[in-house]
Amino acid sequence: MSTNKECAIFILVICFFLCGTDIHGENSKLRMYGFFDMEAEVSNKDQAGKIWTFDQHHFNLISIYKIDQDFRIYSEVEYEHGPSHNDRDITGKIYLAKAYLEYRYSDALKLKFGKFLTPFGIYNERHDATPTFLTTKLPHVLYGKHELAPGVSGRYYAKISTGIQVLGQIYSNKWEIGYKAFISNGRGAKPSEVDDNPNKGVGVRLTLEPPNIDLKLGASFYSDRNGLSHNARQESFGTDFEIDYGNLHFEGEALWVNLEKYDSSFVLTGTMNREFGNYFLVAYTIKDRLTPMVRYEYQNHGFEYDETERLVLLGLNYAVNERVFFKNEFHIQNLHKGDNSRHIMYVTSIAVAF
Amino acid sequence: MVTTQVKIGSINLLISLLVLIGFLSGPAWGQIAVIVHPGSEIDDISSEQLSRLYLGNTTNLSDGQSVYLMENSQLAIEFYKVTLNLSVSKFRRHWMKLVFSGAYAQPPDPYRSDKKIIEEVAANEGAICFVDIESVTEEVKVVSIDGLKPNQKLYLFPPPKSDKPESGSK
């Protein structure tokens, strides 16, 4: 079936739900949300980077269908890079980012069945919802693509998982304690359809919010045998914090990664390459609208190879209104891979939530 | 000298006018009351629970009923400032994060009319909202907050400055 037909069917299904429901008030079964963004960037990294480039990056539609008080279906379809699939050209991407059934037994115990964003770090579950980010680009160390195997790049954990998740929130002595644990197919050629190996992807995320202070602490773990990297064992452990004090906002994350090595014949050796990275961000919001910020990132791509990367971001986020955000940022990147190279990138974007 | 006196006189006149406008305009809203369905078992809600509900940390009322959060757009600034210590824009951003990350809680539905709010709360068992105390009818139940009812001393939401003298709880 062509992608155009898939899109048409999706829109028809949405129209069907909308026709049959009142979309406001308690009786509404269906709620629709979404976001849109457009970016422009230029850098002095290479000749291609020196050309100003516009990117209609995301257009995502989220639908939440409440079956009853305890069951709901959550789905998100992403149209990335202004997709156009026709006889002449195939550009951009259209894919189902999330689709799961959620059952709520209580606030402390819920279950998700289906395809969901892996609960890892502060941002992964928000997916590409750029209106909720202060910056246009998320920290590369946690949310960027890295070389996991020759010719294979991706995040250090599965961005999206298909399986079962158990989650909940417990309130005790004024502390908010959240947990999420899941089992999935892990990464592979068709991760939402088939598991490439008998080892499942597993992960846990814990969050803690103490009373009387606007602080959130988190820890995440993910492990699988990556079907895209010759079934090498890959493990990631991350910690994070977010704290707000008046108009000041601090956040930071650290990540430790173990990537199983293999020899020139792609036979797994059982030994691990260890990588580490972290970032810190400080932002100050003026009159609820203007937020200047600084972010510092560091990454060591492998202690054995002494490959390090440092990135400083200077940015300004302007809230045009509650749903429209205009962002500007400079990325100053230092790479140390035998040669010490530095390049600067300027990124601007507009992000809208609806 | 004359010029200086004229300037001082103009400034005094301007100040007097501003003070007069302040007295005549009065408060933009009355005291806030939290309302629920008349059949609800809830008579009292803690400020902590109110905060957890409107932050999406819980999706149940204390009687176990699944909550339906509603927002009175006219009173949102005051309500979120007092209960959550958040501006409306920060409150919206908080919910944006929750919705896009897949939280089970649903953001409050905004309403502009007190009459419509009362109709909705009367029709939905898990509904909760906040309205001007003057617009409350018998169709809904006003709950006390931390054991205190509107117009009582130390009630969570202070009365407007030019409100009537204290006359007991409503």
Side-chain angles (χ1 to χ4, degrees), chain B residues 8 12 18 21 23-24 32 40 62 70 72-73 77-78 88 97 128 142 146 155 162:
Chain B
I8 291 168
N12 285 340
L18 286 173
I21 289 166
F23 274 117
L24 290 175
I32 291 176
S40 170
S62 56
M70 294 167 60
N72 184 330
S73 304
I77 295 172
E78 182 69 14
V88 172
K97 289 176 191 173
I128 186 165
V142 175
D146 297 325
Y155 178 67
S162 64

Side-chain angles (χ1 to χ4, degrees), chain A residues 24-28 31 33-35 62 64 66 68-72 74 76 98 100 102-104 106-107 110 112 125-127 129 131-132 134 169-171 174 176 180 209 214 242 246-247 249 285 288-289 291 319 321-323 325 353-354, chain B residues 46 48-49 51-53 55-61 64-71 77 84-112 116 120 123-127:
Chain A
H24 194 71
E26 164 71 349
N27 294 327
S28 64
R31 285 177 186 238
Y33 302 95
F35 53 87
I62 293 164
I64 304 170
K66 199 172 169 185
D68 62 25
Q69 284 192 358
D70 299 321
F71 284 94
R72 70 172 189 166
Y74 187 113
E76 178 176 345
K98 297 178 204 167
Y100 57 80
E102 188 167 12
Y103 166 67
R104 185 195 66 154
S106 66
D107 286 332
K110 286 171 272 195
K112 287 181 182 178
E125 281 192 292
R126 280 191 232 161
H127 195 214
T132 69
L134 282 173
Q169 190 148 334
I170 298 156
Y171 186 63
K174 299 191 176 186
E176 297 277 1
K180 291 173 180 176
E209 290 175 66
D214 204 349
E242 285 180 279
N247 293 326
H249 173 79
T285 302
D288 260 352
R289 279 186 183 267
T291 309
N321 60 39
E322 288 165 0
R323 295 175 184 277
F325 303 89
F354 55 90
Chain B
S46 67
E48 191 178 294
Q49 197 184 9
S51 157
R52 293 193 74 233
L53 283 167
L55 286 175
N57 289 336
T58 180
T59 52
N60 276 344
L61 292 170
Q65 184 74 40
S66 180
V67 74
Y68 169 46
L69 288 178
M70 294 167 60
E71 175 190 287
I77 295 172
L84 312 174
N85 194 25
L86 287 178
S87 65
V88 172
S89 58
K90 278 187 181 167
F91 178 78
R92 300 268 186 264
R93 267 177 248 170
H94 170 80
W95 273 100
M96 215 187 284
K97 289 176 191 173
L98 291 187
V99 167
F100 293 141
S101 60
Y104 200 89
Q106 290 188 329
D109 276 338
Y111 289 84
R112 292 191 68 81
K116 181 69 182 161
E120 283 290 323
N124 294 292
E125 285 187 6

Side-chain angles (χ1 to χ4, degrees), chain A residues 7-177:
Chain A
C7 293
I9 289 170
F10 172 74
I11 291 164
L12 282 173
V13 169
I14 294 297
C15 292
F16 170 76
F17 279 125
L18 286 173
C19 291
T21 52
D22 164 19
I23 50 170
H24 194 71
E26 164 71 349
N27 294 327
S28 64
K29 293 280 187 188
L30 182 76
R31 285 177 186 238
M32 295 285 298
Y33 302 95
F35 53 87
F36 161 92
D37 62 44
M38 162 127 175
E39 299 168 13
E41 67 180 57
V42 64
S43 80
N44 63 357
K45 189 176 181 181
D46 48 33
Q47 281 305 316
K50 286 177 183 169
I51 302 169
W52 265 102
T53 299
F54 294 105
D55 182 5
Q56 194 279 289
H57 201 158
H58 302 106
F59 175 67
N60 287 40
L61 290 173
I62 293 164
S63 61
I64 304 170
Y65 190 81
K66 199 172 169 185
I67 297 164
D68 62 25
Q69 284 192 358
D70 299 321
F71 284 94
R72 70 172 189 166
I73 297 278
Y74 187 113
S75 71
E76 178 176 345
V77 176
E78 175 155 327
Y79 299 80
E80 192 170 14
H81 303 302
S84 172
H85 291 205
N86 56 43
D87 296 340
R88 281 183 293 111
D89 56 351
I90 297 176
T91 58
K93 286 192 282 184
I94 303 172
Y95 69 99
L96 189 65
K98 297 178 204 167
Y100 57 80
L101 169 70
E102 188 167 12
Y103 166 67
R104 185 195 66 154
Y105 177 76
S106 66
D107 286 332
L109 181 62
K110 286 171 272 195
L111 290 164
K112 287 181 182 178
F113 306 89
K115 188 176 183 181
F116 46 81
L117 269 295
T118 306
F120 198 99
I122 294 173
Y123 293 102
N124 196 57
E125 281 192 292
R126 280 191 232 161
H127 195 214
D128 296 321
T130 49
T132 69
F133 310 158
L134 282 173
T135 56
T136 302
K137 305 269 186 194
L138 286 178
H140 183 72
V141 56
L142 270 110
Y143 305 101
K145 287 184 174 178
H146 304 271
E147 191 175 328
L148 302 173
V152 178
S153 65
R155 293 189 181 189
Y156 285 126
Y157 49 88
K159 183 177 176 181
I160 297 172
S161 296
T162 300
I164 299 171
Q165 184 183 152
V166 56
L167 66 157
Q169 190 148 334
I170 298 156
Y171 186 63
S172 175
N173 290 326
K174 299 191 176 186
W175 287 67
E176 297 277 1
I177 303 156

Side-chain angles (χ1 to χ4, degrees), chain A residues 249-295:
Chain A
H249 173 79
F250 299 92
E251 67 177 56
E253 296 191 67
L255 181 73
W256 290 264
V257 183
N258 287 329
L259 301 173
E260 192 175 9
K261 294 178 191 171
Y262 33 73
D263 59 22
S264 54
S265 311
F266 298 112
V267 175
L268 296 169
T269 62
T271 55
M272 296 285 187
N273 182 42
R274 292 185 168 79
E275 304 195 9
F276 170 75
N278 59 31
Y279 80 88
F280 296 96
L281 178 141
V282 184
Y284 185 81
T285 302
I286 302 159
K287 294 187 181 292
D288 260 352
R289 279 186 183 267
L290 197 63
T291 309
M293 76 206 84
V294 179
R295 186 173 77 202

